[in-house]
Amino acid sequence: MLGRIRSVLPARADYAVMARSPRRDLLAGLTVAIVALPLALGFGVSSGLGAEAGLATAVVAGALAALFGGSNLQVSGPTGAMTVVLVPIVAQYGPGGVLTVGLMAGVLLIGLALLRAGQYMRYVPAPVVEGFTLGIACVIGLQQIPNALGVEKPEGEKVLLVAWRALVECVAFPNWTAIGLSLGVAAVMLAGARWKPTVPFSIVAVIAATLIAQLFHLDAAAPIGDLPSGLPAPSLAFLDASAFGSLLAPAVAVAALAALESLLSATVADGMTVGQKHDPDKELFGQGIANLAAPLFGGVPATAAIARTAVNVRTGASSRLAALTHALVLAVIVFAAAPLVSKIPLAALAGVLLATAIRMVEVGSLRAMAKATRSDAVVLVLTAAATLVLDLVYAVIIGLVVAGALALKAVASQARMEQVDFRPDLPGEHSDEEHALLAEHIVAYRIDGPLFFAGAHRFLLELSEVSDVRVVILRMARVTTLDATGALVLKDAVEKLNRRGIAVMTSGIRPGQRQALDAVGALELLRLEGREYATTPEAIAGARKHLEQAGLLPRTHHRPHRIRKAAR
């Protein structure tokens, strides 16, 4: 256990790279902080715990994840995906429940790191990730509708229902000030990103909206409200031990999302650079530490932020000093500029998040994924729909299950079994007389590919239709996978053929397949009759011997049996 703990802690080399390009990292960190400020405020408001919770998360979790994480480029804090999960938790358990869930999720993430679960991220299919991202974008956009329209957030947990009620209320009592500010901020961000992608237009648009609201005394544009001028003292007063049982399921959901989004973000960051490679288990450990600490300061559960990480990489960051600088700059803003930040209109933050949601949707990537295969399109659409209608964890589970089922179907369809024609002209085969003997009384099947639960029963049906033969030889050297279902099907086929007086012999069973066959008794069945052989020529010789002992040797003038191909 001590060895595993040491393996997930950062090494000296992880910090040594911070001294290589400090000026470039400091500049990148400042840029990311400017981009992150409106997002941290917006996601804090959307979560239900307020803007101060978003800032606390960005500062505390951002710094600790940078120090203890497994990526030099990752930037962590409150995210839209996590907000989507937190909204129903706040509604059901209140702010204290959310803080407790974050603490529990931190423990779970550390446990996943010690179990070295980070390596399994590579098995999440791309259509699941794309569908997940599309669904999150839709949910984030819908969550902003009440603030963007300047109406009180209607009651309800389902974002579609809440957004619809907000639209109905807006039609009855339109707030053109809030609508104008939110649409203006979103338009500036989207247009600016096309014009000059390196300029942080989010903060420019928010400052402009705030100045307009203050100069023209736009009372209809509700501001964020008072913010504390600093972080609160760490406290565990929110903990309620009696609620741990009921909060376990939400904590698992939060931990799963934090792990998924953080490892996905780190993978994206690696792909944007040359020579950078994250450690998935260290990353999980860093996110666990961050989520343990953030609730103590009133922060919401955190995860790596793909958008902020991308900005970090594009502005030249090369070490974790950039992410640390981002957290420190936000801390200075909390301590020095809280009165100014408190005047930002909620509609402006809604506009920032609306533009963020739109930019999350990569139309080209979605189109390519939908065109790849029908299965990929089905998985993408189902995952996105489940994210929108259910929740993120169920969406990922549904996406993985459907993707796995379709993959199994595709793999099973590649397996085939064909009847083999013994050709005397090939080296190691047999004379014309022996060929006639084999064709008359013996049929050989070569099984290619996997023999497992997804397609094994098809082979049983094919073997059960064998007729007019005395011996069946199963050539298994090309079987790639064999599970318990495949072994049971094979045993069942052997018993059925034996009851019909047909001897079954096997050749080429691999060492890795013997355990499954032995566990279900298939090997014992073959050994009792002495019908398991290492090679096909040995199996043919055994078949001849069996025919001789049974007195079934054919006359030499028998016409060879015509070879039939089995159904693929």
Side-chain angles (χ1 to χ4, degrees), residues 98-181:
V98 171
L99 299 180
T100 304
V101 163
L103 200 70
M104 295 170 68
V107 174
L108 292 173
L109 286 167
I110 292 174
L112 288 174
L114 296 177
L115 291 173
R116 297 175 182 170
Q119 59 185 314
Y120 297 107
M121 172 60 197
R122 67 183 70 136
Y123 298 113
V124 179
V128 174
V129 175
E130 291 293 340
F132 177 76
T133 305
L134 175 60
I136 288 173
C138 293
V139 173
I140 292 172
L142 290 170
Q143 282 181 340
Q144 307 318 309
I145 297 298
N147 284 337
L149 299 178
V151 301
E152 289 290 330
K153 183 180 177 182
E155 293 185 1
E157 296 181 9
K158 300 299 181 183
V159 289
L160 284 169
L161 181 61
V162 171
W164 173 253
R165 289 174 176 171
L167 283 170
V168 171
E169 185 174 346
C170 178
V171 170
F173 305 99
N175 185 338
W176 297 111
T177 300
I179 294 172
L181 288 176

XYZ file of all heavy atoms in Angstrom, residues 98-181:
623
model
N -24.442 18.863 -0.799
C -23.493 18.974 -1.909
C -22.053 18.954 -1.393
O -21.175 18.293 -1.967
C -23.756 20.246 -2.720
C -22.651 20.484 -3.743
C -25.091 20.163 -3.419
N -21.788 19.683 -0.315
C -20.430 19.709 0.240
C -20.024 18.321 0.741
O -18.878 17.892 0.549
C -20.356 20.729 1.380
C -20.676 22.182 1.000
C -20.564 23.091 2.219
C -19.768 22.664 -0.106
N -20.956 17.615 1.362
C -20.667 16.260 1.832
C -20.400 15.320 0.656
O -19.487 14.491 0.700
C -21.843 15.723 2.669
O -22.106 16.617 3.747
C -21.525 14.345 3.227
N -21.189 15.465 -0.391
C -20.992 14.647 -1.586
C -19.607 14.896 -2.182
O -18.910 13.963 -2.596
C -22.095 14.942 -2.624
C -21.703 14.445 -4.006
C -23.397 14.292 -2.193
N -19.185 16.159 -2.218
C -17.857 16.466 -2.735
C -16.756 15.815 -1.925
O -15.792 15.275 -2.473
N -16.905 15.853 -0.602
C -15.922 15.223 0.279
C -15.861 13.712 0.039
O -14.778 13.122 -0.073
C -16.294 15.518 1.735
C -15.193 15.367 2.790
C -14.157 16.469 2.635
C -15.804 15.428 4.185
N -17.021 13.076 -0.038
C -17.073 11.637 -0.270
C -16.509 11.282 -1.653
O -15.802 10.273 -1.816
C -18.512 11.141 -0.150
C -19.097 11.282 1.251
S -20.887 10.958 1.322
C -20.930 9.201 0.970
N -16.804 12.119 -2.624
C -16.274 11.874 -3.964
C -14.749 11.956 -3.968
O -14.081 11.187 -4.677
C -16.858 12.880 -4.952
N -14.195 12.873 -3.181
C -12.741 12.958 -3.076
C -12.132 11.679 -2.553
O -11.108 11.194 -3.064
N -12.755 11.103 -1.529
C -12.269 9.821 -0.983
C -12.351 8.723 -2.044
O -11.425 7.914 -2.206
C -13.086 9.440 0.264
C -12.690 8.059 0.759
C -12.888 10.470 1.370
N -13.459 8.689 -2.784
C -13.626 7.667 -3.817
C -12.582 7.822 -4.921
O -12.043 6.827 -5.435
C -15.033 7.753 -4.411
C -16.184 7.353 -3.480
C -17.528 7.651 -4.135
C -16.093 5.865 -3.131
N -12.277 9.060 -5.303
C -11.283 9.291 -6.348
C -9.896 8.844 -5.900
O -9.132 8.255 -6.686
C -11.260 10.770 -6.736
C -12.441 11.248 -7.578
C -12.479 12.768 -7.630
C -12.347 10.686 -8.988
N -9.561 9.102 -4.649
C -8.270 8.631 -4.127
C -8.231 7.108 -4.134
O -7.215 6.495 -4.481
C -8.027 9.198 -2.715
C -7.821 10.714 -2.793
C -6.826 8.534 -2.060
C -7.720 11.400 -1.451
N -9.365 6.491 -3.778
C -9.436 5.028 -3.830
C -9.238 4.496 -5.241
O -8.526 3.510 -5.457
N -9.859 5.162 -6.230
C -9.679 4.743 -7.620
C -8.227 4.877 -8.052
O -7.708 4.033 -8.798
C -10.573 5.592 -8.532
C -12.078 5.329 -8.469
C -12.825 6.343 -9.324
C -12.400 3.916 -8.951
N -7.572 5.945 -7.587
C -6.159 6.123 -7.936
C -5.299 5.008 -7.358
O -4.417 4.465 -8.037
C -5.679 7.483 -7.425
N -5.557 4.646 -6.095
C -4.774 3.585 -5.459
C -5.054 2.227 -6.094
O -4.197 1.337 -6.084
C -5.071 3.544 -3.956
C -4.652 4.802 -3.177
C -5.051 4.683 -1.714
C -3.145 5.025 -3.298
N -6.257 2.066 -6.641
C -6.593 0.820 -7.348
C -6.095 0.834 -8.793
O -6.307 -0.126 -9.528
C -8.109 0.606 -7.329
C -8.730 0.287 -5.979
C -10.252 0.271 -6.081
C -8.225 -1.057 -5.458
N -5.477 1.935 -9.194
C -4.924 2.091 -10.551
C -6.007 1.917 -11.618
O -5.830 1.206 -12.605
C -3.781 1.096 -10.771
C -2.614 1.346 -9.833
C -1.543 0.306 -9.948
N -0.469 0.568 -8.985
C 0.521 -0.288 -8.726
N 0.579 -1.436 -9.353
N 1.461 0.021 -7.842
N -7.111 2.605 -11.387
C -8.240 2.512 -12.318
C -8.128 3.473 -13.487
O -8.918 3.404 -14.422
C -9.549 2.775 -11.563
N -7.160 4.384 -13.451
C -7.053 5.383 -14.504
C -6.815 4.807 -15.882
O -7.216 5.386 -16.891
N -6.161 3.645 -15.947
C -5.840 3.045 -17.242
C -7.082 2.645 -18.031
O -7.020 2.494 -19.256
C -4.971 1.812 -17.029
C -5.644 0.757 -16.154
C -4.743 -0.414 -15.848
O -4.090 -0.927 -16.735
N -4.706 -0.832 -14.589
N -8.216 2.480 -17.355
C -9.414 1.993 -18.052
C -10.140 3.095 -18.821
O -11.085 2.802 -19.542
C -10.365 1.327 -17.054
C -9.746 0.112 -16.402
C -9.336 0.145 -15.074
C -9.533 -1.054 -17.127
C -8.741 -0.960 -14.482
C -8.950 -2.153 -16.551
C -8.550 -2.107 -15.220
O -7.959 -3.194 -14.649
N -9.693 4.339 -18.688
C -10.318 5.427 -19.430
C -10.213 5.194 -20.928
O -11.091 5.574 -21.700
C -9.631 6.740 -19.042
C -10.044 7.933 -19.873
S -11.802 8.275 -19.755
C -12.030 9.338 -21.175
N -9.139 4.527 -21.367
C -8.929 4.333 -22.808
C -9.995 3.443 -23.434
O -10.108 3.383 -24.656
C -7.552 3.715 -23.054
C -7.402 2.288 -22.544
C -5.998 1.779 -22.764
N -5.074 2.467 -21.894
C -4.110 1.828 -21.204
N -3.966 0.547 -21.310
N -3.313 2.506 -20.420
N -10.766 2.745 -22.593
C -11.779 1.843 -23.131
C -13.128 2.523 -23.351
O -14.073 1.872 -23.777
C -11.959 0.633 -22.205
C -10.705 -0.194 -22.071
C -10.021 -0.276 -20.869
C -10.191 -0.879 -23.167
C -8.864 -1.023 -20.745
C -9.035 -1.630 -23.055
C -8.375 -1.702 -21.843
O -7.226 -2.443 -21.744
N -13.234 3.811 -23.007
C -14.490 4.528 -23.264
C -14.554 4.865 -24.756
O -13.687 5.573 -25.266
C -14.573 5.822 -22.423
C -15.861 6.559 -22.734
C -14.494 5.485 -20.935
N -15.558 4.379 -25.479
C -15.614 4.616 -26.925
C -15.823 6.095 -27.254
O -16.478 6.837 -26.514
C -16.827 3.776 -27.377
C -17.089 2.821 -26.258
C -16.648 3.516 -25.007
N -15.279 6.504 -28.390
C -15.398 7.897 -28.820
C -16.853 8.344 -28.992
O -17.192 9.474 -28.617
C -14.615 8.115 -30.118
N -17.773 7.521 -29.540
C -19.168 7.964 -29.653
C -19.812 8.268 -28.303
O -20.662 9.157 -28.207
C -19.871 6.791 -30.344
C -18.796 6.073 -31.070
C -17.568 6.223 -30.220
N -19.409 7.536 -27.258
C -19.945 7.819 -25.918
C -19.474 9.191 -25.459
O -20.249 9.988 -24.924
C -19.513 6.721 -24.921
C -19.939 7.093 -23.503
C -20.104 5.380 -25.309
N -18.191 9.487 -25.671
C -17.638 10.783 -25.262
C -18.308 11.915 -26.037
O -18.688 12.948 -25.465
C -16.115 10.796 -25.484
C -15.551 12.181 -25.177
C -15.435 9.751 -24.601
N -18.459 11.730 -27.352
C -19.071 12.779 -28.171
C -20.542 12.990 -27.794
O -21.019 14.121 -27.697
C -18.966 12.417 -29.655
C -17.556 12.455 -30.204
C -16.976 13.849 -30.250
O -17.749 14.820 -30.225
O -15.744 13.983 -30.312
N -21.277 11.908 -27.592
C -22.672 12.030 -27.182
C -22.816 12.658 -25.818
O -23.709 13.484 -25.573
N -21.919 12.288 -24.915
C -21.875 12.846 -23.568
C -21.648 14.364 -23.631
O -22.341 15.149 -22.983
C -20.735 12.137 -22.833
C -20.462 12.616 -21.442
C -21.292 12.265 -20.398
C -19.346 13.368 -21.167
C -21.024 12.682 -19.110
C -19.062 13.790 -19.887
C -19.905 13.443 -18.859
N -20.675 14.778 -24.452
C -20.364 16.203 -24.586
C -21.536 16.970 -25.194
O -21.872 18.077 -24.754
C -19.110 16.383 -25.451
O -18.035 15.605 -24.895
C -18.693 17.839 -25.503
N -22.160 16.404 -26.215
C -23.317 17.044 -26.841
C -24.458 17.196 -25.843
O -25.091 18.256 -25.753
C -23.768 16.219 -28.046
C -25.050 16.688 -28.751
C -24.883 18.102 -29.280
C -25.424 15.728 -29.874
N -24.732 16.151 -25.077
C -25.798 16.224 -24.079
C -25.520 17.252 -23.008
O -26.414 18.019 -22.601
N -24.259 17.316 -22.552
C -23.886 18.315 -21.542
C -24.089 19.724 -22.078
O -24.603 20.614 -21.385
C -22.417 18.113 -21.111
C -22.282 16.860 -20.252
C -21.911 19.324 -20.336
C -20.859 16.502 -19.939
N -23.678 19.947 -23.326
C -23.842 21.269 -23.932
C -25.312 21.680 -23.957
O -25.652 22.835 -23.648
C -23.259 21.262 -25.349
N -26.165 20.745 -24.312
C -27.607 21.049 -24.342
C -28.136 21.382 -22.945
O -28.905 22.337 -22.762
C -28.380 19.867 -24.927
S -28.053 19.542 -26.669
N -27.704 20.609 -21.945
C -28.184 20.836 -20.580
C -27.682 22.176 -20.050
O -28.434 22.938 -19.423
C -27.741 19.682 -19.656
C -28.091 19.997 -18.204
C -28.397 18.382 -20.077
N -26.407 22.489 -20.293
C -25.861 23.777 -19.833
C -26.638 24.940 -20.453
O -27.005 25.902 -19.777
C -24.366 23.883 -20.181
C -23.562 22.874 -19.362
C -23.845 25.294 -19.917
C -22.102 22.787 -19.778
N -26.894 24.840 -21.758
C -27.648 25.893 -22.426
C -29.041 26.057 -21.850
O -29.505 27.180 -21.598
N -29.720 24.946 -21.614
C -31.076 25.011 -21.066
C -31.087 25.564 -19.644
O -32.026 26.260 -19.244
C -31.711 23.616 -21.096
C -32.063 23.083 -22.492
C -32.447 21.610 -22.416
C -33.200 23.895 -23.101
N -30.035 25.240 -18.877
C -29.971 25.745 -17.498
C -29.883 27.274 -17.454
O -30.273 27.885 -16.451
C -28.754 25.161 -16.781
C -28.935 23.729 -16.312
C -27.696 23.228 -15.585
O -26.607 23.770 -15.744
N -27.855 22.187 -14.792
N -29.361 27.889 -18.494
C -29.166 29.344 -18.479
C -30.404 30.127 -18.899
O -30.419 31.365 -18.807
C -28.002 29.722 -19.416
C -26.714 28.985 -19.162
C -26.387 28.835 -17.697
O -26.396 29.809 -16.936
N -26.114 27.611 -17.270
N -31.430 29.428 -19.379
C -32.615 30.113 -19.903
C -33.250 31.072 -18.887
O -33.532 32.233 -19.217
C -33.658 29.088 -20.420
C -33.078 28.294 -21.608
C -34.949 29.773 -20.820
C -32.740 29.131 -22.808
N -33.477 30.663 -17.626
C -34.109 31.607 -16.681
C -33.304 32.895 -16.489
O -33.867 34.003 -16.575
C -34.196 30.791 -15.383
C -34.245 29.367 -15.843
C -33.348 29.316 -17.033
N -31.986 32.779 -16.235
C -31.169 33.987 -16.041
C -31.040 34.794 -17.321
O -31.002 36.033 -17.291
C -29.779 33.607 -15.526
C -29.787 33.243 -14.054
O -30.689 33.651 -13.315
N -28.813 32.474 -13.626
N -30.956 34.113 -18.451
C -30.838 34.825 -19.727
C -32.100 35.613 -20.042
O -32.041 36.675 -20.675
C -30.547 33.842 -20.850
N -33.264 35.118 -19.593
C -34.529 35.806 -19.837
C -34.896 36.761 -18.714
O -35.890 37.499 -18.815
C -35.649 34.778 -20.018
C -35.480 33.804 -21.196
C -36.640 32.826 -21.228
C -35.378 34.552 -22.515
N -34.103 36.715 -17.617
C -34.363 37.634 -16.513
C -35.576 37.269 -15.691
O -36.249 38.161 -15.153
N -35.885 35.975 -15.551
C -37.026 35.536 -14.734
C -36.512 34.683 -13.584
O -35.405 34.139 -13.624
C -38.031 34.723 -15.591
C -38.534 35.558 -16.755
C -37.409 33.423 -16.097
N -37.323 34.599 -12.557
C -36.984 33.723 -11.437
C -36.960 32.273 -11.914
O -37.793 31.866 -12.730
C -38.015 33.870 -10.313
C -37.944 35.187 -9.574
C -36.689 35.298 -8.727
O -36.189 34.246 -8.249
O -36.187 36.423 -8.554
N -36.028 31.507 -11.389
C -35.918 30.119 -11.821
C -37.150 29.341 -11.356
O -37.435 29.272 -10.157
C -34.663 29.465 -11.248
C -34.472 28.036 -11.722
C -33.216 27.418 -11.135
C -33.092 25.967 -11.578
N -31.896 25.312 -10.994
N -37.908 28.751 -12.291
C -39.094 27.985 -11.902
C -38.703 26.722 -11.129
O -37.569 26.248 -11.219
C -39.737 27.612 -13.254
C -39.147 28.563 -14.241
C -37.768 28.852 -13.757
N -39.647 26.209 -10.379
C -39.395 24.980 -9.635
C -39.336 23.794 -10.592
O -39.994 23.769 -11.631
C -40.491 24.762 -8.590
C -40.478 25.788 -7.473
C -41.497 25.455 -6.397
O -42.173 24.420 -6.530
O -41.606 26.225 -5.438
N -38.561 22.802 -10.210
C -38.434 21.587 -11.016
C -36.987 21.152 -11.117
O -36.063 21.956 -10.939
N -36.789 19.859 -11.391
C -35.448 19.304 -11.509
C -35.056 19.048 -12.959
O -33.876 19.077 -13.297
C -35.338 17.993 -10.716
C -35.511 18.167 -9.216
C -35.361 16.862 -8.478
O -34.955 15.867 -9.108
O -35.641 16.822 -7.270
N -36.017 18.777 -13.824
C -35.725 18.472 -15.222
C -35.490 19.773 -15.992
O -36.355 20.667 -16.006
C -36.867 17.685 -15.853
C -37.147 16.337 -15.169
C -35.936 15.418 -15.244
C -36.217 14.072 -14.592
N -35.019 13.199 -14.607
N -34.345 19.871 -16.642
C -33.981 21.129 -17.292
C -34.939 21.494 -18.419
O -35.211 22.677 -18.642
C -32.538 21.054 -17.835
C -31.541 21.071 -16.714
C -32.340 19.844 -18.730
N -35.462 20.507 -19.109
C -36.404 20.808 -20.194
C -37.660 21.478 -19.654
O -38.147 22.469 -20.207
C -36.773 19.520 -20.944
C -35.714 18.969 -21.903
C -36.110 17.573 -22.368
C -35.527 19.891 -23.095
N -38.186 20.950 -18.546
C -39.388 21.506 -17.942
C -39.134 22.906 -17.381
O -39.944 23.831 -17.571
C -39.889 20.570 -16.833
C -41.159 20.991 -16.096
C -42.328 21.091 -17.071
C -41.476 20.002 -14.976
N -37.989 23.080 -16.710
C -37.651 24.388 -16.128
C -37.489 25.430 -17.229
O -37.990 26.562 -17.121
C -36.361 24.274 -15.287
C -35.879 25.663 -14.865
C -36.609 23.413 -14.055
N -36.797 25.066 -18.305
C -36.599 26.005 -19.411
C -37.933 26.384 -20.057
O -38.158 27.556 -20.399
C -35.664 25.393 -20.450
N -38.820 25.406 -20.208
C -40.127 25.689 -20.804
C -40.943 26.644 -19.927
O -41.546 27.601 -20.435
C -40.882 24.390 -21.033
C -42.300 24.591 -21.495
C -43.450 24.404 -20.779
C -42.718 25.060 -22.784
N -44.553 24.719 -21.531
C -44.136 25.122 -22.768
C -42.046 25.430 -23.935
C -44.865 25.529 -23.868
C -42.784 25.844 -25.037
C -44.173 25.886 -24.999
N -40.953 26.404 -18.638
C -41.691 27.283 -17.728
C -41.115 28.701 -17.749
O -41.861 29.692 -17.667
C -41.655 26.720 -16.316
C -42.508 25.463 -16.136
C -42.318 24.870 -14.750
N -43.195 23.719 -14.543
C -43.129 22.903 -13.486
N -42.231 23.147 -12.532
N -43.954 21.885 -13.367
N -39.780 28.801 -17.846
C -39.159 30.120 -17.917
C -39.566 30.848 -19.193
O -39.827 32.059 -19.182
C -37.639 29.978 -17.844
N -39.647 30.130 -20.312
C -40.075 30.731 -21.571
C -41.511 31.222 -21.493
O -41.836 32.320 -21.974
C -39.931 29.714 -22.709
C -38.515 29.475 -23.227
C -38.501 28.282 -24.169
C -37.991 30.721 -23.941
N -42.371 30.416 -20.866
C -43.776 30.804 -20.724
C -43.899 32.083 -19.898
O -44.651 33.010 -20.248
C -44.582 29.655 -20.082
C -45.995 30.128 -19.725
C -44.649 28.458 -21.020
N -43.119 32.144 -18.805
C -43.171 33.333 -17.956
C -42.619 34.551 -18.690
O -43.123 35.672 -18.540
C -42.365 33.087 -16.677
C -42.475 34.238 -15.681
C -41.803 33.924 -14.361
O -41.496 32.733 -14.117
O -41.576 34.865 -13.579
N -41.577 34.340 -19.501
C -40.978 35.457 -20.242
C -41.948 36.009 -21.285
O -42.004 37.222 -21.511
C -39.684 34.996 -20.907
S -38.877 36.274 -21.890
N -42.710 35.127 -21.920
C -43.693 35.581 -22.906
C -44.735 36.476 -22.242
O -45.168 37.499 -22.802
C -44.361 34.370 -23.595
C -45.545 34.821 -24.443
C -43.346 33.629 -24.461
N -45.104 36.099 -21.020
C -46.103 36.902 -20.301
C -45.515 38.218 -19.788
O -46.167 39.269 -19.851
C -46.669 36.089 -19.140
N -44.269 38.172 -19.274
C -43.630 39.376 -18.713
C -42.185 39.444 -19.220
O -41.248 39.076 -18.510
C -43.650 39.330 -17.179
C -45.008 39.133 -16.593
C -45.438 37.871 -16.176
C -45.896 40.201 -16.463
C -46.684 37.686 -15.637
C -47.157 40.018 -15.925
C -47.559 38.759 -15.519
N -41.992 39.913 -20.441
C -40.635 39.920 -21.019
C -39.714 40.918 -20.314
O -40.126 42.027 -19.971
C -40.867 40.312 -22.477
C -42.178 41.023 -22.483
C -42.998 40.413 -21.390
N -38.448 40.496 -20.112
C -37.416 41.358 -19.539
C -36.376 41.610 -20.636
O -35.400 40.878 -20.772
C -36.770 40.668 -18.331
C -35.761 41.553 -17.615
O -35.221 42.494 -18.189
N -35.507 41.252 -16.350
N -36.622 42.673 -21.432
C -35.782 42.910 -22.601
C -34.356 43.295 -22.220
O -33.410 43.061 -22.994
C -36.411 43.994 -23.477
C -37.754 43.594 -24.020
C -38.955 44.116 -23.696
C -37.996 42.555 -24.974
N -39.970 43.482 -24.382
C -39.406 42.518 -25.177
C -37.183 41.661 -25.659
C -39.995 41.607 -26.043
C -37.767 40.751 -26.529
C -39.168 40.732 -26.718
N -34.161 43.850 -21.046
C -32.798 44.201 -20.609
C -31.945 42.956 -20.434
O -30.818 42.872 -20.942
C -32.864 44.980 -19.288
O -33.616 46.175 -19.473
C -31.467 45.330 -18.801
N -32.481 41.979 -19.684
C -31.731 40.738 -19.457
C -31.500 39.992 -20.771
O -30.402 39.477 -21.024
C -32.489 39.854 -18.469
N -32.531 39.956 -21.619
C -32.405 39.253 -22.894
C -31.322 39.913 -23.749
O -30.475 39.234 -24.351
C -33.756 39.244 -23.645
C -34.784 38.411 -22.867
C -33.592 38.694 -25.057
C -36.195 38.500 -23.414
N -31.338 41.232 -23.789
C -30.344 41.945 -24.589
C -28.925 41.724 -24.097
O -27.998 41.508 -24.887
N -28.742 41.778 -22.762
C -27.403 41.583 -22.206
C -26.884 40.166 -22.462
O -25.730 39.976 -22.862
C -27.412 41.868 -20.702
C -27.546 43.343 -20.284
C -27.645 43.449 -18.768
C -26.355 44.163 -20.794
